[in-house]
């Protein structure tokens, strides 16, 4: 019997309650020993980051979880991670030998998440859903709806707490 190939799971991350729920769902239902999880952050175009100019179109380099947990690295990229999310991922990393990496993009979340799917060659992507009402969704556009309809891999949408 051939060994299963390492799967790469993209986890869209904005540290909202819905992306925290998506993290828990990935840990409980999807990730297997030997998999790789890539946290995909998309910051608004105007977000300041000292090295953004270098990676405006391609996103940051892949950042290993332990390095990403360092305050100076978070400050350098302009992200403010949720401690609970990082702890869940660190537990998965240790208990299941899962490689966890982070990548930061700048721009429109809908477009950048779909670009990330191709760029990172993820086997599937998981994202939270804020549960906007029909009017807000029509005005703001739903990131999850866009990704479901445009990503080139399977997409799982996890509804956040009500």
């Amino acid at each position: 019997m051939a060994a299963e190939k390492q799967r790469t799971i993209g986890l869209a991350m904005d540290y909202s309650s819905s992306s925290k729920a998506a993290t828990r769902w990935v840990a409980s239902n999807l990730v297997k020993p030997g998999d790789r999880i890539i946290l995909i952050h998309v910051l608004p175009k105007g977000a300041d980051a000292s090295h953004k100019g270098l990676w405006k179109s391609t996103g940051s380099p892949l950042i290993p979880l332990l390095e990403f947990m360092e305050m100076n690295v978070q400050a350098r990229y302009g992200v403010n991670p949720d401690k609970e999310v990082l702890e869940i991922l660190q537990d998965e990393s240790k208990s299941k030998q899962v490689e966890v990496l982070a990548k930061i993009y700048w721009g429109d979340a809908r477009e950048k998440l779909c670009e990330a799917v191709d760029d990172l060659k993820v086997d599937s992507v998981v994202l939270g859903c804020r549960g906007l009402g029909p009017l807000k969704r029509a005005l703001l556009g739903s990131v999850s709806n866009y990704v479901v309809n445009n990503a080139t891999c399977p997409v799982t949408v996890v509804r956040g707490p009500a």
Side-chain angles (χ1 to χ4, degrees):
M1 190 160 120
E4 286 187 46
K5 84 171 192 72
Q6 178 190 46
R7 297 177 311 162
T8 299
I9 300 161
L11 178 56
M13 186 53 58
D14 65 1
Y15 301 104
S16 63
S17 56
S18 60
S19 65
K20 206 182 287 193
T23 303
R24 285 192 205 97
W25 188 87
V26 165
S28 301
N29 301 293
L30 187 60
V31 76
K32 295 179 187 165
D35 282 349
R36 165 195 262 196
I37 299 172
I38 301 178
L39 289 180
I40 304 169
H41 301 78
V42 181
L43 302 178
K45 264 192 183 120
D48 184 47
S50 56
H51 302 305
K52 184 175 91 174
L54 292 171
W55 305 305
K56 199 174 277 177
S57 59
T58 60
S60 73
L62 287 168
I63 308 162
L65 181 63
L66 288 176
E67 183 182 334
F68 186 69
M69 292 173 81
E70 296 172 12
M71 295 300 287
N72 63 328
V73 174
Q74 295 168 12
R76 181 184 316 150
Y77 291 104
V79 292
N80 187 17
D82 180 276
K83 192 174 178 209
E84 186 185 349
V85 166
L86 296 181
E87 286 170 359
I88 292 168
L89 293 168
Q90 193 171 24
D91 288 347
E92 289 300 291
S93 175
K94 288 178 181 169
S95 66
K96 295 180 183 170
Q97 285 74 52
V98 171
E99 180 183 21
V100 181
L101 302 161
K103 179 139 174 120
I104 297 120
Y105 293 90
W106 290 269
D108 180 277
R110 294 169 287 208
E111 292 169 11
K112 290 296 179 180
L113 285 170
C114 289
E115 281 178 31
V117 163
D118 296 330
D119 175 37
L120 301 169
K121 297 175 179 37
V122 300
D123 297 298
S124 67
V125 68
V126 179
L127 65 159
C129 171
R130 292 187 306 207
L132 299 174
L135 182 61
K136 276 190 178 174
R137 192 169 39 250
L139 293 171
L140 301 174
S142 164
V143 171
S144 55
N145 192 46
Y146 184 91
V147 174
V148 163
N149 288 299
N150 293 283
T152 56
C153 71
V155 178
T156 303
V157 179
V158 179
R159 186 170 292 281

